[in-house]
C-alpha cells in the first residue's frame, strides 16, 4: 500500500506496512496515480519525499505473483509485464516538476533500488539496510531503462560494475563514500529528519517546476529517450 | 574586449570583456573569436593557449544591459539569442583550436561565463576566491539542449546534477573534488602562473595541432554532432 500526504510544501509518499513493499500491478498502479496527483498539485516550492515503513524500502518486483502464474513461461510474462508497467513510474519521477528525495530507511533491491535512484537525492541509513541489484544473483537480465538510469546517474564505471555485475550489497557508508547516495545517517529517525530538511531547503529555492523538470531530463538524455520523454525546445528567458 | 599576446610558444588570451564583470556581448565575443583565429594562424607544433583574466570576476555572463537596452521584449529576446549564437561560435572556435588550452580562473564565472573556462582542455582555479555558478534554474531559464550536451561532455552523474540542477555557487576546492577543475591555487598570481606553467608543459609535447583538435572534438561528439561539425580522419601516424 502507498499513501500520500502533504506537510507544508513537501509531498510525502509512503509505502506503508512492515512487508517488503514489492511492486505488483496493484501497487504500481497506486504509485502512478499518486505521482499524477503530486504533479497536478505541484506549485513553486514543492518537493517530494518517497519513504517506507519497516525493514524494507522496497525489495523489487513481486516475484511470488509472477510465479503464481503456474508455468515458467507464465512467470516470465508476468515479470515482463511488471517491467513494462514500471517504466511510466520512472518516467513520472524523471519529469516531476519539483526536486525529489528518496529516504532509504531499509533495503532497496532491484526495482526498489531503481525507484530510489530515480529520485534527485538519495539519503540512506548507515547502520542498517543495503542497496542491492539482485538480478545477477537470481539470473535475470537488466531491462534497458534500468541500465540507462544506472549509466547516466552513476558516473563511476567501477561502481556500476560492482552494483550490476557483482551483486554487491552496498551499505550506507560505502554508498556515501562512493557517491551513490547524497548522505548516510546513523538511524531511521535521522534519515527521515535529514530528508525533510533537504526537501524543505530545496523547496525554499522556489524553482520553476517546469524548468526544473526540463533541466533534469537534460541530465539523462539516453534514459529520457528510452522512456519516450521529449525534451521541450528552448523557450523564452525571464530577462 | 580581450587581448592576445605571444610569449615564446605560449599564446596568452586576456579576457577583459565589458566592465569589471568582463561581460559578453556580440562585439566582445567576436573579438575573442578573432583573437583565436590569429592564434590559429600563427600556431605550430608546440603551441599552447592560456586564457586569463584579472580582478574579482573571470566572466559574469552576458551583457544584459545591452540585451535589455531596446524598445521591446521581443528585441531583447533577439539580442539574447544573438549573444547565444555568438557564444556558440566561440565555443566552436575553442574546440577546434589546434593546440592545448588552459583556463586560469581568477574569479567568479557565472551563467554564460561558466562556458568559457569549461571549453578549455584544462581548468585551474583560485582556491581562495571565485565560484562557478550555473544560474539558469535560478533565473527560470531552461538550458538549451546544445548546452546540456556541452555540460554532459564535461561531467556526469551527481556532479552534473550539482552543476546545473542545484543553483549552487561552487568554489574551487569543491570543483576539484567533482573533477570539473584540474587544480586549485591561492591568489591571482598563483593561479595565473600555474595556468601558464601548465600550458608550457603541454606545449612541450609538441603535438600535431590538427590531430589534437580532431581528437578533442571527439570528446565533444554529441555537441559537435548537434552543430553538424564533422570530424576529419587523419591517418598517417608518426611511427
Amino acid at each position: 500500500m502507498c499513501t500520500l500526504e502533504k506537510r507544508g510544501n513537501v509531498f510525502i509518499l509512503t509505502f506503508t506496512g512492515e512487508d517488503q513493499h514489492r511492486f505488483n500491478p496493484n501497487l504500481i498502479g497506486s504509485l502512478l496515480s499518486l505521482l499524477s496527483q503530486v504533479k497536478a498539485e505541484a506549485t513553486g516550492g514543492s518537493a517530494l519525499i518517497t519513504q517506507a515503513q519497516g525493514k524494507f524500502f522496497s525489495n523489487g518486483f513481486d516475484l511470488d505473483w509472477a510465479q503464481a502464474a503456474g508455468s515458467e513461461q507464465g512467470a516470465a510474462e508476468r515479470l515482463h509485464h511488471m517491467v513494462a508497467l514500471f517504466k511510466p513510474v520512472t518516467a513520472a519521477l524523471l519529469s516531476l516538476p519539483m526536486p525529489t528525495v528518496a529516504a532509504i530507511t531499509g533495503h532497496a533491491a532491484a526495482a526498489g533500488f531503481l525507484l530510489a535512484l530515480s529520485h534527485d537525492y538519495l539519503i540512506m541509513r548507515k547502520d542498517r539496510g543495503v542497496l542491492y541489484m539482485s538480478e545477477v544473483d537470481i539470473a535475470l537480465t537488466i531491462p534497458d531503462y534500468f541500465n540507462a538510469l544506472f549509466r547516466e546517474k552513476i558516473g563511476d564505471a567501477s561502481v556500476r560494475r560492482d552494483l550490476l555485475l557483482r551483486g554487491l550489497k552496498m551499505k550506507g557508508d560505502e554508498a556515501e563514500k562512493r557517491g551513490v547516495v547524497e548522505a548516510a545517517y546513523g538511524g531511521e529517525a535521522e534519515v527521515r529528519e535529514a530528508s525533510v530538511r533537504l526537501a524543505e531547503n530545496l523547496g525554499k529555492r522556489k524553482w520553476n517546476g517546469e524548468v526544473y523538470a526540463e533541466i533534469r531530463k537534460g541530465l539523462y538524455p539516453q534514459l529520457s529517450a528510452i522512456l519516450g520523454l521529449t525534451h521541450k525546445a528552448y523557450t523564452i528567458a525571464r530577462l | 574586449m580581450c587581448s592576445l599576446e605571444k610569449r615564446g610558444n605560449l599564446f596568452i588570451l586576456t579576457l577583459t570583456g565589458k566592465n569589471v564583470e568582463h561581460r559578453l556581448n556580440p562585439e566582445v565575443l567576436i573579438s575573442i573569436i578573432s583573437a583565436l583565429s590569429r592564434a590559429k594562424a600563427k600556431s605550430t607544433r608546440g603551441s599552447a593557449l592560456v586564457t586569463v583574466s584579472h580582478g574579482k570576476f573571470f566572466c559574469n555572463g552576458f551583457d544584459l544591459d545591452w540585451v535589455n537596452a531596446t524598445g521591446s521584449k521581443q528585441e531583447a529576446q533577439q539580442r539574447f539569442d544573438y549573444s547565444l549564437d555568438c557564444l556558440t561560435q566561440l565555443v566552436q572556435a575553442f574546440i577546434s583550436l589546434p593546440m592545448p588550452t588552459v583556463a586560469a580562473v581568477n574569479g567568479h564565472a557565472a551563467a554564460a561565463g561558466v562556458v568559457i573556462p569549461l571549453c578549455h582542455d584544462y581548468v585551474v582555479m583560485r582556491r581562495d576566491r571565485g565560484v562557478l555558478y550555473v544560474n539558469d534554474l535560478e533565473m527560470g531559464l531552461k538550458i538549451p539542449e546544445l548546452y546540456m550536451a556541452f555540460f554532459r561532455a564535461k561531467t556526469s552523474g551527481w556532479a552534473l546534477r550539482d552543476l546545473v540542477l542545484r543553483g549552487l555557487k561552487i568554489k574551487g576546492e569543491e570543483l576539484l573534488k567533482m573533477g570539473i577543475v584540474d587544480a586549485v591555487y591561492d591568489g591571482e598570481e598563483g593561479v595565473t602562473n600555474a595556468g601558464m606553467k601548465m600550458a608550457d608543459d603541454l606545449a612541450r609535447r609538441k603535438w600535431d595541432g590538427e590531430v589534437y583538435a580532431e581528437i578533442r572534438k571527439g570528446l565533444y561528439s554529441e555537441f559537435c554532432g548537434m552543430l553538424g561539425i564533422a570530424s576529419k580522419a587523419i591517418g598517417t601516424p608518426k611511427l
Side-chain angles (χ1 to χ4, degrees), chain B residues 82-219:
Chain B
Y82 182 40
S83 302
L84 191 61
D85 281 340
C86 291
L87 178 68
T88 304
Q89 282 182 56
L90 177 59
V91 175
Q92 284 180 244
F94 268 113
I95 290 180
S96 338
L97 202 67
M99 64 185 79
T101 58
V102 180
V105 181
N106 59 295
H108 304 307
V114 172
V115 174
I116 308 264
L118 292 186
C119 61
H120 289 66
D121 302 324
Y122 301 87
V123 182
V124 296
M125 191 161 169
R126 269 180 88 156
R127 181 193 280 121
D128 55 326
R129 190 186 267 198
V131 294
L132 288 194
Y133 179 35
V134 176
N135 69 345
D136 298 66
L137 180 60
E138 290 288 296
M139 301 284 288
L141 288 176
K142 295 172 197 180
I143 297 176
E145 248 189 280
L146 181 65
Y147 283 91
M148 283 308 303
F150 176 79
F151 289 126
R152 289 195 300 263
K154 304 304 299 195
T155 186
S156 63
W158 301 126
L160 177 60
R161 174 204 64 193
D162 285 351
L163 184 64
V164 305
L165 197 65
R166 209 166 175 174
L168 289 178
K169 293 176 182 171
I170 317 176
K171 288 184 179 169
E173 295 266 36
E174 188 58 37
L175 291 162
L176 181 66
K177 276 189 224 149
M178 288 162 79
I180 291 175
V181 310
D182 296 292
V184 290
Y185 297 90
D186 289 311
E188 183 174 304
E189 216 183 309
V191 74
T192 305
N193 288 342
M196 297 211 212
K197 178 167 189 307
M198 193 170 204
D200 261 331
D201 290 343
L202 292 162
R204 241 172 265 142
R205 304 293 295 274
K206 293 209 182 305
W207 288 311
D208 177 315
E210 216 189 327
V211 170
Y212 187 86
E214 289 306 311
I215 296 176
R216 184 208 279 122
K217 277 192 246 173
L219 298 179

Side-chain angles (χ1 to χ4, degrees), chain A residues 75 94 117 144 183 210 228:
Chain A
L94 200 68
L117 197 58
D144 60 355
E210 203 200 321

